[in-house]
Amino acid sequence: MKSKQYILGVLTALLFASCSNDEKVVLKYADEGDSGNPNPITQTLKEKAKFKIGAAVKMKDLQNEANYKNAVLKHYNQITAEFEMKMASIWTSSTAYNYTAADYLVGFAQDNKMEVHGHTLVWYDSFPEWFKKAQYDSIAFEAKVKVYITDVVGRYKGKVKSWDVVNEVFADGGAMRNETVINSLFKDPIGFYGRCFRYAKAADPDAKLFYNDYSVVLDAGKRASIKKMVARFKANGVPIDGLGDQFHYATDTNRQTMKTGFTDLASTGLLIHISELDIKVNTGKSDSYVFNDVENQKQAETYKYITTMYEELPQTQKFAISTWGVTDKYTWLTSFWHSKEYPLLLDADYNKKPAYQGFLDGLK
Ligand code: XIL
């Protein structure tokens, strides 16, 4: 089976060898067991990269599936909880926290000498129902959030290396999101968010603190708003260390736009985190979509482009590239995008995809 795949890979690679595209990736389906491959992949992502390689993981998959757990351990050296460290998961009532899954994940990382990226302290989409219903005024609201940040960041002090303090504040185009309760409560929402960074810093002075959002490198308006916020934070001594762009992009995402935006983002001088990377292939959301070799190749090239671009950052601004998931078997996109979607680096059987090789080829 594998040698068949390999021959297919070589054929497709030959097909693509005729185009003079410098993002070209030679397809390799092999893993270590493939003795017939003259060009075996010898390094894992985490072995090659000089920065952290992360994955969003779920406790239940780590507990229930040995292959999943082994893949995480083999390829990655940082984890993010896919949902278990969000406010709605931890803050179960005004007087209770549920740390079961968060503790498990932090313990798993410690046992295996991995870093944890905390995601996320303040996100409009993950305010618990009880909190939204409580209808606090701005003073009471902020006091509660301060206690939450202090408790959670304090609990994992020294264990969670970095936090997305604030997630997704700006709408497409750069205006403040209007669906968040914070906008109706606070005259100056950015001021509130800045204080959230201060609360986190006070609870763990060594944690790296991030603002995280999506489409940052594509959406010039959103990026301008983020840069303005960062400038204000810097001017007022708000402790922000880095910016995350989620990178939920696709094989047809315009690469030049991506690069221009990435360079602009890097001009802030902050750490840059590619925080939730996955690359959609079924861009037309087609029910008859087939993820064939040509599609694999496109995806591999996109990954290669992204890691190559990331490596062009000054060394001091590199933080991590984290994929939003581990295997195509489990990806949020099958429910949030289309059931036929294959956005990650390992296939459903935990084999390395051409995308893995593309990612690896882009690393220095
Ligand atoms: C998603 C998770 O993957 C899903 O499992 C969950 O149900 C909803 O959230 N941006 C973010 C992430 O910052 O927290 C989101 O994660 C994906 C979009």
Side-chain angles (χ1 to χ4, degrees):
M1 179 58 195
K2 268 185 192 149
S3 61
K4 210 175 185 184
Q5 278 187 329
Y6 179 63
I7 291 164
L8 259 177
V10 170
L11 285 176
T12 316
L14 286 174
L15 194 77
F16 279 88
S18 55
C19 33
S20 62
N21 178 348
D22 61 0
E23 299 310 325
K24 189 176 61 202
V25 176
V26 177
L27 284 188
K28 290 174 192 156
Y29 286 90
D31 60 26
E32 284 77 344
D34 193 344
S35 54
N37 181 2
N39 211 354
I41 300 170
T42 51
Q43 274 180 312
T44 63
L45 304 178
K46 72 171 180 186
E47 284 165 354
K48 187 169 182 192
K50 297 184 193 74
F51 46 84
K52 293 292 170 199
I53 302 291
V57 297
K58 291 181 182 163
M59 175 178 75
K60 91 169 163 32
D61 296 331
L62 283 173
Q63 288 176 332
N64 296 344
E65 210 174 313
N67 286 343
Y68 179 96
K69 180 178 162 181
N70 292 337
V72 172
L73 293 175
K74 182 168 173 183
H75 304 290
Y76 293 96
N77 50 18
Q78 183 216 53
I79 56 168
T80 305
E82 188 166 336
F83 67 89
E84 295 101 322
M85 292 172 82
K86 291 172 183 169
M87 206 185 243
S89 297
I90 291 182
W91 212 9
T92 48
S93 82
S94 70
T95 53
Y97 297 122
N98 179 352
Y99 286 119
T100 309
D103 281 357
Y104 176 89
L105 292 172
V106 172
F108 172 83
Q110 286 208 299
D111 291 347
N112 295 294
K113 302 195 168 33
M114 304 173 94
E115 281 190 5
V116 182
H117 178 68
H119 175 79
T120 170
L121 295 168
V122 180
W123 183 26
Y124 77 93
D125 203 33
S126 192
F127 290 141
E129 283 308 312
W130 69 263
F131 191 45
K132 286 191 277 193
K133 284 195 193 117
Q135 298 199 318
Y136 294 114
D137 63 15
S138 63
I139 306 279
F141 183 95
E142 183 164 341
K144 287 298 257 185
V145 170
K146 181 179 179 183
V147 170
Y148 177 79
I149 292 175
T150 306
D151 287 350
V152 175
V153 175
R155 182 180 185 89
Y156 299 119
K157 182 171 188 281
K159 296 178 181 166
V160 170
K161 282 273 173 196
S162 49
W163 279 100
D164 288 332
V165 179
V166 177
N167 197 36
E168 298 182 358
V169 160
F170 300 105
D172 295 351
M176 299 290 298
R177 275 181 181 279
N178 54 21
E179 68 264 51
T180 143
V181 55
I182 291 160
N183 274 10
S184 40
L185 277 181
F186 292 88
K187 279 200 204 82
D188 175 20
I190 300 288
F192 165 74
Y193 295 126
R195 294 191 292 281
C196 291
F197 277 83
R198 294 187 197 276
Y199 302 146
K201 182 79 175 174
D204 184 354
D206 294 330
K208 298 284 179 215
L209 305 181
F210 284 79
Y211 173 75
N212 193 52
D213 212 325
Y214 64 87
S215 292
V216 181
V217 303
L218 296 188
D219 185 332
K222 185 184 270 195
R223 202 166 56 247
S225 297
I226 293 171
K227 285 175 69 182
K228 199 170 155 198
M229 177 176 75
V230 167
R232 179 174 158 186
F233 282 180
K234 283 184 178 169
N236 295 330
V238 170
I240 184 167
D241 298 293
L243 294 171
D245 184 359
Q246 297 176 7
F247 267 73
H248 297 297
Y249 295 139
T251 49
D252 64 355
T253 301
N254 187 296
R255 293 184 190 166
Q256 194 48 55
T257 310
M258 205 191 273
K259 187 169 264 175
T260 306
F262 197 74
T263 307
D264 185 36
L265 192 66
S267 73
T268 57
L270 295 178
L271 293 171
I272 302 295
H273 187 194
I274 293 185
S275 56
E276 303 180 17
L277 178 61
D278 50 22
I279 298 299
K280 291 188 270 297
V281 287
N282 187 1
T283 53
K285 292 190 177 185
S286 162
D287 293 336
S288 55
Y289 180 80
V290 179
F291 187 41
N292 57 23
D293 280 346
V294 173
E295 291 291 292
N296 265 285
Q297 178 74 21
K298 276 199 234 163
Q299 189 182 44
E301 287 170 6
T302 309
Y303 270 109
K304 182 179 175 185
Y305 188 87
I306 291 170
T307 53
T308 305
M309 183 177 78
Y310 193 79
E311 287 284 24
E312 284 165 13
L313 281 173
Q315 200 57 38
T316 49
Q317 285 181 268
K318 292 178 192 168
F319 173 70
I321 300 182
S322 312
T323 58
W324 204 242
V326 177
T327 157
D328 287 348
K329 188 173 179 183
Y330 308 120
T331 157
W332 74 302
L333 291 171
T334 50
S335 35
F336 285 79
W337 179 256
H338 191 277
S339 59
K340 287 192 172 170
E341 191 44 77
Y342 313 87
L344 292 160
L345 303 177
L346 302 177
D347 69 17
D349 297 319
Y350 299 93
N351 295 312
K352 292 166 186 160
K353 293 164 57 186
Y356 188 103
Q357 185 65 35
F359 190 119
L360 198 66
D361 284 352
L363 296 176
K364 274 189 196 156

